[in-house]
Amino acid sequence: TRYRITTNEIMNTPKRAVVVGATNGIGKAISCRLAADGFSVVAVGRNKEGRADEIVKNLTECSLAAKKSEQDATTQHEFRPCDAFSLAQVKECAAGIVRDHSKIDALVMTQGMATIQGFTPTSEGNDEKLTLHFWSRAAFAALLLPSLRASSMPGGPVVMTILSGGVHSPYTKYKEDPELRKNYSVKNAADGAGFYSDLFFDKLAKQPSNQGINFIHSAPGFVDSNWGTEMPFYLKAPVRFMQKLGGKSPSKCASFMVEPILQCASGDIGLVRPSSTAQGLFIMNEDATSGKLTKLHTEEAIKSVWDTAGTVLGRAGIALDDGTCN
């Protein structure tokens, strides 16, 4: 256990977190950790029979396991079904959350996949991997901004996308092939999602209406989770072996990932921005220390990727306008 907030801090101002990708792996562990620290958790993930009851039961047990019985009356967990391959479903899910919850204190996004496939279109024509790792995350963040801005957390609300902060390289063809339709590769898909995350969330963080929100792009490190489920068996087996050999547990990873959220629940965030300025994105390493941006992180790249995101999200009826979705 690295960082915890006191019961009184939660009781004074009940807090709510939305965790996307909460049905397994890192997302499930983060949901449990936040529930244990007194957050009401809106768990978002793919639906299947019995999953809603299973997720809520697990989160309730996480709350009770923390032995903070006085919190039980204020924590209300729920499951929201959403297939993040579909931006239309993301839009519908986010709209429902904003409708039902006027205040959100943290948004954590972990949805993803590990494959060696080429460009594989979703039903909406976007690449599957890039959709999970970036387009859907950009959409959730933009759509939930109204409720995030209403947060009363002392250190401000937190928006965290857990992917490859400080680890990825820049994707250099962001202008010529912004949706990776011509230059797709496993590396380009990984770098593209990470690079786009830096640029997009830095843009959101610097907008006047979002000044009180802490935007973080973090890297989880090597975790012993179900990562790589979609890989062929001849790759999955060695991956599982290496995970058991050197990967940290999802719960240990979660203890690092939630640290800035818990800090903001009781005071100021402990991270330092890469540029050491008062505005912009935080990059967080796997051990919750501050990380760096790529050398190609420029205003020109920010504008280009913002415009591309606007185009892709716009095809699903999601409008970007100064950080507000109409």
Side-chain angles (χ1 to χ4, degrees), residues 174-175 195 199 296-306:
Y174 61 88
K175 285 196 297 184
F195 189 50
L199 299 164
L296 291 188
H297 192 95
T298 64
E299 289 301 318
E300 185 276 333
I302 289 174
K303 182 182 184 306
S304 181
V305 168
W306 178 266

Side-chain angles (χ1 to χ4, degrees), residues 24-137:
N24 51 51
I26 297 170
K28 184 176 182 179
I30 288 172
S31 297
C32 182
R33 177 58 198 274
L34 289 173
D37 272 289
F39 279 75
S40 293
V41 176
V42 180
V44 179
R46 283 184 172 182
N47 199 13
K48 66 178 184 180
E49 186 176 353
R51 174 161 279 176
D53 292 339
E54 174 191 341
I55 294 295
V56 172
K57 179 183 177 182
N58 178 68
L59 289 171
T60 301
E61 290 173 351
C62 292
S63 295
L64 293 173
K67 296 181 180 179
K68 298 178 181 179
S69 58
E70 60 265 49
Q71 292 182 19
D72 296 344
T74 64
T75 53
Q76 306 248 325
H77 308 304
E78 59 186 271
F79 174 72
R80 301 264 177 156
C82 180
D83 183 348
F85 279 132
S86 168
L87 296 181
Q89 283 198 35
V90 170
K91 181 182 180 183
E92 181 180 3
C93 179
I97 293 173
V98 171
R99 181 186 62 243
D100 296 338
H101 302 296
S102 60
K103 186 183 76 168
I104 296 171
D105 301 293
L107 167 62
V108 182
M109 297 171 286
T110 69
Q111 67 268 33
M113 64 191 299
T115 68
I116 57 171
Q117 66 191 28
F119 186 103
T120 305
T122 65
S123 60
E124 297 166 335
N126 305 308
D127 176 63
E128 287 186 348
K129 190 180 293 186
L130 199 54
T131 296
L132 289 187
H133 293 168
F134 178 65
W135 306 129
S136 66
R137 300 182 186 211

Side-chain angles (χ1 to χ4, degrees), residues 56-282:
V56 172
K57 179 183 177 182
N58 178 68
L59 289 171
T60 301
E61 290 173 351
C62 292
S63 295
L64 293 173
K67 296 181 180 179
K68 298 178 181 179
S69 58
E70 60 265 49
Q71 292 182 19
D72 296 344
T74 64
T75 53
Q76 306 248 325
H77 308 304
E78 59 186 271
F79 174 72
R80 301 264 177 156
C82 180
D83 183 348
F85 279 132
S86 168
L87 296 181
Q89 283 198 35
V90 170
K91 181 182 180 183
E92 181 180 3
C93 179
I97 293 173
V98 171
R99 181 186 62 243
D100 296 338
H101 302 296
S102 60
K103 186 183 76 168
I104 296 171
D105 301 293
L107 167 62
V108 182
M109 297 171 286
T110 69
Q111 67 268 33
M113 64 191 299
T115 68
I116 57 171
Q117 66 191 28
F119 186 103
T120 305
T122 65
S123 60
E124 297 166 335
N126 305 308
D127 176 63
E128 287 186 348
K129 190 180 293 186
L130 199 54
T131 296
L132 289 187
H133 293 168
F134 178 65
W135 306 129
S136 66
R137 300 182 186 211
F140 264 117
L143 289 164
L144 294 180
L145 281 172
S147 295
L148 286 159
R149 291 172 182 145
S151 170
S152 57
M153 282 221 299
V158 173
V159 173
M160 180 182 294
T161 182
I162 301 177
L163 187 62
S164 58
V167 176
H168 65 84
S169 299
Y171 170 61
T172 59
K173 297 185 182 296
Y174 61 88
K175 285 196 297 184
E176 307 98 288
D177 186 22
E179 298 182 42
L180 281 76
R181 295 181 182 276
K182 300 176 182 178
N183 296 277
Y184 195 95
S185 68
V186 172
K187 177 172 171 52
N188 282 347
D191 288 340
F195 189 50
Y196 286 10
S197 295
D198 285 355
L199 299 164
F200 180 87
F201 288 106
D202 194 31
K203 170 77 171 180
L204 278 185
K206 290 176 179 176
Q207 291 174 337
S209 54
N210 300 328
Q211 288 302 292
I213 304 175
N214 302 286
F215 291 89
I216 304 170
H217 180 195
S218 65
F222 193 49
V223 183
D224 182 13
S225 67
N226 62 345
W227 181 88
T229 299
E230 304 88 354
M231 286 184 173
F233 72 92
Y234 56 86
L235 290 178
K236 191 188 304 183
V239 166
R240 290 288 179 266
F241 176 75
M242 292 301 295
Q243 285 176 316
K244 297 297 182 186
L245 194 65
K248 56 177 172 283
S249 69
S251 60
K252 183 174 182 179
C253 174
S255 71
F256 286 109
M257 295 296 104
V258 303
E259 190 162 303
I261 299 174
L262 302 185
Q263 289 170 341
C264 288
S266 58
D268 293 330
I269 195 167
L271 295 171
V272 178
R273 291 182 176 87
S275 54
S276 298
T277 62
Q279 299 177 3
L281 178 71
F282 292 100

